[in-house]
Amino acid sequence: MPKVKIDGKEYDVADGTTIMHACEDAGAEIPRFCYHDRLSIAGNCRMCLVEVKGAPKPQASCAMSVNDLRPGPNGEPPEIFTNTPYVKKAREGVMEFMLINHPLDCPICDQGGECDLQDQAVGYGISKNRFHEDKRAVEDPYIGPLVKTMMTRCIKCTRCVRFTTEVGGVEELGATGRGEDIEITTYLQAAMHSELQGNVIDLCPVGALTSAAYEFKARPWELRKTETIDVMDALGSNIRVDARGREVLRIVPRTNDAINEEWISDKSRFIWDGLNARRLDRPYVRKDGKLVEASWDEAFAAITDKVKATTPEKIGAIAGDLAGAEEMFALKTLMESLGSQNIDCRVDGSQFDPAQGRASYLFNSSIADIEEADMLMIIGSNPRLEAPVLNARIRKRSLAGNFPIALIGEAADLTYDYLHLGDDAEALEKFVTHKRAKAKKPMFIIGPGAFARKDGGAILAMAARAALALGVVNEDWNGFNILHSAAARVAGLDLGLVPGDEGSDAIEMTKGSVDVLFNLGADELTIKDGPFVIYQGSHGDRGAHRADVILPAATYTEKSAIYVNTEGRPQMTTKASFPPGDAKEDWAILRALSDKLGKALLFDTIEQLRAKMFEAAPHLAELGAIAPADTAGIETLAKRKRKPRKAPFENSINDFYMTNPIARASKVMNTCSDLRYNAVKQAAE
């Protein structure tokens, strides 16, 4: 362990530590533009210069290891200085170079107030610039509808290039030219196709890349910032929602190394304009074939009359993909009080059974442990569309080497190399009798393409048998991972929102097995004519179009609710704004409705509801923690011997940008969808 002397004090540092990190560990502040902890080292901005005793010139601290420093003539530890006049003058010189061509347009720049260049110019800028030549300006390349370019501001730090290449895995952004003529561009002036491209907005230190949708909307200090959870997929990425008044204007990531590191998908980031569009803000009741505005009492009266005229076995309920745990628990409690066993949260048609244990439907190894795995088989999944941030984690592990990846299912560009073994259950069946894998921590990722189909239960059982044969599940490691695509699914299974012995599942209910159907935000199902449908949701989407009564509800940014991600980690959203008009939180609607039905639920506040819910599922109270799941559930699952069909696995997401009612209401998401899936390709593409 080498010894170094930093600003007069001696420290022991680990081998391979960069000078920058050694100095920061010692309490020194090192400015930087190009360096980022999660990207490769470029060393091209030179803002992190420090003085090394005996060196002929200042040294770039991000690109030099402490092991490269030479000791003194008598073996003294090498000395580093971070705050001498020599260092300050060197950094001021670098800043002077940075500002040669910078337009200095801070009053109209969306980066204003959050700009690294602004902040560091305060400490290292000088009052007079010695360069009087005309500033060089460049054209702004088109890189898509999400990221606005203003490349005259660019300081060529290449963070954006390194991110899209290393993390995003889409090598569309790069540098052309040399020296002063370097430009960051997409070469063919085409839109980028990465589902993570919005992260370059956060990475850009100078405002050359900003959010096109947020352009000129607000300044950072005007916004109310709320830390919450994303529900666009089942990953549970940590986000911050920035709102002004009741309008959400921006969504940005929060760092959580166990889940999303510091990245979020473009859908999570740019969905916010859909939160205010096509909203349901008052109750509606269908009269003479048309939905007309009604009061809450009128809507409840219509529901009460229909429910009381229907037998319990003909009443059903479905919980949609964006429902929180509290409203699902309230819905289940209401259905139990009505005497109905027809309830289901599995709107995708999957056949998960909570009675088999949580291990049978969780991402058991945890997301972070992807980096510990040494073999991966993806079954019926396209992680790039179902969970882009998780896909980036797989790519990160792939780049580290010694990580063979195989795919059984629909072939796609996943941003990393893999061996395609086939596309149906027959390819998977070969591994049921396979000898144990040599890998110490092998991993399965099973997606909706495999389990969300009529024979999904048989495929899950076959995957469980293959996992046990290969050693994917053993005493020290559980690599049997289910990748859900719906934020509500795991909490629904944890709370037991599945049909009773005599009950109908979601698919059967949509086909007419019930006469009254409570639809809690399930917009991905087509409900046939027949049932009287009570739709409780936030947007005028498919569910509302089919409804006989509409009860307006809050979105995930307008309520405090618990969501359990695909690895079984409970997390809670925080209310960032208020729902529009007469819309209410879902649990409160169900509580008020239960009174009218004469089946009053035994709670009056969200705290009382959660206390009841925690009695039923204690692990939900441990926010941020993953309760260990017993692998016996996988062994039980493996004993099921039904034979699957020969039909190929089909990926569950055909359009990444149009997967839920909020996305379909978003103009930005519609633009992205049209550009990616409906645009006519040019000859150059």
Side-chain angles (χ1 to χ4, degrees):
M1 184 175 285
K3 291 181 180 293
V4 293
K5 205 170 184 180
I6 301 173
D7 293 332
K9 294 184 179 179
E10 196 171 295
Y11 298 91
D12 291 323
V13 295
D15 282 324
T17 303
T18 63
I19 294 177
M20 172 186 285
H21 285 125
C23 293
E24 289 186 332
D25 289 344
E29 184 177 338
I30 307 295
R32 84 287 299 272
F33 291 113
C34 70
Y35 179 81
H36 190 277
D37 286 336
R38 302 187 196 275
L39 303 176
S40 61
I41 295 172
N44 53 9
C45 79
R46 321 309 282 184
M47 195 65 207
C48 63
L49 294 175
V50 296
E51 179 183 357
V52 176
K53 188 173 182 179
K57 60 181 181 180
Q59 302 296 310
S61 61
C62 72
M64 179 177 283
S65 166
V66 292
N67 298 79
D68 298 326
L69 300 177
R70 296 176 62 184
N74 299 314
E76 302 95 335
E79 287 196 60
I80 302 167
F81 302 97
T82 67
N83 55 8
T84 61
Y86 179 75
V87 171
K88 189 172 188 298
K89 184 178 180 181
R91 293 174 181 171
E92 287 174 349
V94 171
M95 179 62 70
E96 194 173 357
F97 275 112
M98 293 280 183
L99 298 177
I100 290 176
N101 291 314
H102 197 81
L104 303 178
D105 56 352
C106 300
I108 62 164
C109 177
D110 278 321
Q111 194 87 345
E114 299 172 318
C115 179
D116 291 348
L117 186 63
Q118 272 185 341
D119 295 343
Q120 293 183 32
V122 172
Y124 301 102
I126 57 176
S127 59
K128 184 177 181 181
N129 195 306
R130 289 170 287 180
F131 297 92
H132 300 290
E133 293 78 11
D134 291 339
K135 290 181 180 288
R136 169 180 168 267
V138 297
E139 291 186 9
D140 299 328
Y142 173 75
I143 63 174
L146 301 179
V147 182
K148 177 195 172 189
T149 59
M150 184 66 176
M151 303 314 291
T152 302
R153 300 171 183 159
C154 179
I155 61 170
K156 286 75 176 179
C157 71
T158 69
R159 280 187 180 184
C160 55
V161 176
R162 283 175 283 149
F163 173 82
T164 54
T165 302
E166 297 166 11
V167 180
V170 179
E171 299 181 5
E172 295 176 321
L173 201 63
T176 63
R178 298 184 66 187
E180 187 187 28
D181 295 324
I182 288 179
E183 293 185 36
I184 306 297
T185 179
T186 54
Y187 303 117
L188 296 177
Q189 299 285 291
M192 290 196 293
H193 289 88
S194 171
E195 295 78 16
L196 298 167
Q197 62 182 277
N199 291 288
V200 301
I201 296 167
D202 301 326
L203 289 172
C204 183
V206 297
L209 304 174
T210 56
S211 172
Y214 176 69
E215 182 182 10
F216 304 143
K217 286 283 195 301
R219 288 298 193 186
W221 52 85
E222 299 178 288
L223 301 175
R224 183 178 64 257
K225 300 171 176 62
T226 306
E227 295 184 351
T228 185
I229 306 301
D230 174 58
V231 300
M232 291 300 109
D233 54 33
L235 208 64
S237 297
N238 287 210
I239 59 172
R240 193 190 77 207
V241 174
D242 293 352
R244 183 173 58 190
R246 64 161 298 275
E247 185 179 9
V248 174
L249 293 177
R250 187 171 64 169
I251 296 175
V252 296
R254 290 189 292 129
T255 300
N256 187 326
D257 288 332
I259 303 174
N260 59 303
E261 298 186 295
E262 59 185 83
W263 321 123
I264 55 173
S265 74
D266 292 339
K267 187 161 53 177
S268 302
R269 181 185 297 271
F270 294 104
I271 199 78
W272 55 265
D273 68 315
L275 294 168
N276 299 316
R278 296 169 57 182
R279 288 301 301 271
L280 300 172
D281 59 358
R282 63 202 65 187
Y284 287 83
V285 175
R286 191 175 296 276
K287 296 179 180 178
D288 299 324
K290 293 184 178 180
L291 288 167
V292 297
E293 293 182 19
S295 66
W296 282 102
D297 286 338
E298 290 171 332
F300 286 165
I303 297 169
T304 302
D305 292 343
K306 197 68 179 178
V307 169
K308 289 185 175 179
T310 307
T311 58
E313 60 269 15
K314 286 294 183 178
I315 300 173
I318 300 174
D321 291 347
L322 303 182
E326 289 84 353
E327 51 256 35
M328 287 192 286
F329 179 74
L331 180 64
K332 182 188 178 189
T333 307
L334 178 60
M335 295 305 293
E336 288 174 346
S337 68
L338 292 172
S340 173
Q341 296 185 25
N342 305 311
I343 188 168
D344 204 353
C345 67
R346 304 165 302 176
V347 298
D348 57 0
S350 58
Q351 298 170 27
F352 295 109
D353 185 357
Q356 293 175 340
R358 298 182 80 225
S360 66
Y361 59 82
L362 291 183
F363 199 98
N364 290 288
S365 70
S366 84
I367 295 165
D369 281 351
I370 290 174
E371 297 184 32
E372 294 186 17
D374 48 11
M375 186 200 80
L376 171 64
M377 183 184 292
I378 301 171
I379 304 167
S381 177
N382 182 343
R384 181 173 174 182
L385 300 184
E386 293 158 10
V389 176
L390 181 139
N391 193 65
R393 183 89 72 156
I394 297 174
R395 174 175 168 79
K396 179 181 179 182
R397 176 63 187 90
S398 177
L399 293 176
N402 297 319
F403 189 55
I405 302 174
L407 171 68
I408 298 176
E410 191 176 330
D413 179 8
L414 300 181
T415 72
Y416 40 81
D417 295 330
Y418 60 83
L419 177 64
H420 191 217
L421 300 177
D423 62 359
D424 57 14
E426 188 175 340
L428 176 60
E429 191 173 15
K430 297 175 182 177
F431 292 93
V432 173
T433 56
H434 199 282
K435 64 180 182 181
R436 191 179 182 90
K438 293 181 180 179
K440 294 181 179 179
K441 292 186 175 181
M443 177 182 287
F444 277 10
I445 293 180
I446 307 164
F451 62 71
R453 42 188 263 172
K454 290 183 179 179
D455 61 344
I459 293 170
L460 279 172
M462 183 180 288
R465 291 195 292 274
L468 293 172
L470 291 170
V472 172
V473 180
N474 55 57
E475 293 181 359
D476 303 318
W477 173 257
N478 186 352
F480 186 82
N481 296 323
I482 304 297
L483 179 57
H484 295 280
S485 56
R489 192 77 72 247
V490 173
L493 294 169
D494 284 349
L495 292 169
L497 268 78
V498 294
D501 294 337
E502 305 296 326
S504 299
D505 63 24
I507 304 301
E508 292 170 339
M509 284 188 273
T510 60
K511 292 180 178 179
S513 67
V514 296
D515 293 335
V516 175
L517 180 58
F518 287 86
N519 181 350
L520 183 61
D523 290 276
E524 312 311 315
L525 288 172
T526 300
I527 303 172
K528 294 186 176 181
D529 293 338
F532 180 86
V533 179
I534 301 113
Y535 175 74
Q536 184 174 326
S538 59
H539 284 71
D541 204 76
R542 300 170 190 170
H545 295 166
R546 173 60 186 84
D548 293 288
V549 176
I550 294 176
L551 306 177
T555 65
Y556 71 104
T557 60
E558 298 162 356
K559 63 186 178 184
S560 173
I562 292 174
Y563 288 85
V564 184
N565 76 346
T566 192
E567 59 184 349
R569 188 191 305 269
Q571 300 180 105
M572 187 181 294
T573 63
T574 306
K575 183 183 291 188
S577 60
F578 291 91
D582 291 335
K584 310 291 183 185
E585 292 189 34
D586 293 275
W587 74 269
I589 295 173
L590 291 167
R591 172 64 182 85
L593 177 59
S594 70
D595 265 345
K596 301 295 183 181
L597 293 172
K599 303 290 184 181
L601 301 178
L602 301 178
F603 48 79
D604 296 315
T605 65
I606 189 68
E607 290 79 15
Q608 292 173 353
L609 185 159
R610 285 178 180 149
K612 296 283 185 184
M613 184 174 69
F614 295 155
E615 289 177 11
H619 64 277
L620 296 183
E622 301 297 326
L623 297 180
I626 301 175
D630 189 353
T631 58
I634 300 172
E635 296 170 2
T636 303
L637 180 63
K639 294 176 182 177
R640 300 174 66 178
K641 297 295 184 181
R642 285 189 298 169
K643 195 165 182 65
R645 296 181 295 129
K646 293 184 178 180
F649 300 153
E650 296 180 358
N651 291 332
S652 62
I653 297 178
N654 297 317
D655 187 335
F656 170 71
Y657 302 101
M658 297 280 105
T659 56
N660 60 62
I662 304 176
R664 289 188 284 271
S666 166
K667 289 183 179 179
V668 177
M669 293 296 100
N670 276 276
T671 300
C672 292
S673 176
D674 288 341
L675 182 67
R676 180 161 179 174
Y677 298 102
N678 302 323
V680 177
K681 291 195 173 185
Q682 303 297 319
E685 298 181 67

